[in-house]
Amino acid sequence: MPHVGITRPPLGPNAIAKYERELRAVAGTGLPPIEMDTVVNLVVGHAENTARRADEAGQAERDSGMTDEERWREYGPLLGSLVDPSVFPLATAVGEEVGAAQGQAYNADHNFEFGLRRILDGIAVMVDARVDAD
């Protein structure tokens, strides 16, 4: 039975050119082809996920006419009255700290930069391990 649901865009010359540029970023690292492809997919997936979440936040703002900060100011007290901090102490404390520090529940720029740094750090460790093994 054929799989129905998620579809992939057709592979055309621009998709192949994009993949070629992405692979050039990891060429010469000593990674085998399967890991080169996987590293590219990891970084691109992180970027796409962050962009998708930022777009969803922007769409929510356009739909509601309220910024994230305005929405939290209005609905935060209601949420606070529904969530028992003794049941969710960690979520409450971290959520409050994040909201206070960022002025919003999700900061796409911060999350992208933080995640990309961690991903690239991990890739660097993997590449260095290969170089050391040779």
Side-chain angles (χ1 to χ4, degrees), residues 6 47 50 57 61-62 65-66 71 109 113 123 132-133:
I6 298 174
T50 304
E61 185 174 324
R62 289 185 294 279
M66 299 170 74
R71 190 171 41 259
D109 291 337
E113 291 295 327
I123 292 167
D132 291 343

Side-chain angles (χ1 to χ4, degrees), residues 78-131:
L78 174 62
L79 181 61
S81 71
L82 298 173
V83 175
D84 182 351
S86 68
V87 176
F88 303 105
L90 192 55
T92 301
V94 171
E96 287 175 358
E97 183 71 26
V98 168
Q102 297 181 155
Q104 56 192 349
Y106 179 76
N107 181 308
D109 291 337
H110 169 77
N111 280 278
F112 177 75
E113 291 295 327
F114 180 88
L116 184 60
R117 275 192 225 109
R118 301 300 74 78
I119 290 168
L120 295 178
D121 288 348
I123 292 167
V125 168
M126 184 175 68
V127 169
D128 289 347
R130 291 278 157 61
V131 171

Side-chain angles (χ1 to χ4, degrees), residues 41-91:
N41 283 306
L42 175 63
V43 173
V44 169
H46 173 64
E48 289 174 345
N49 182 60
T50 304
R52 187 173 12 267
R53 289 191 66 187
D55 183 60
E56 290 168 356
Q59 187 62 49
E61 185 174 324
R62 289 185 294 279
D63 290 348
S64 70
M66 299 170 74
T67 66
D68 199 39
E69 187 175 349
E70 292 167 335
R71 190 171 41 259
W72 279 106
R73 207 173 317 122
E74 181 164 335
Y75 296 110
L78 174 62
L79 181 61
S81 71
L82 298 173
V83 175
D84 182 351
S86 68
V87 176
F88 303 105
L90 192 55

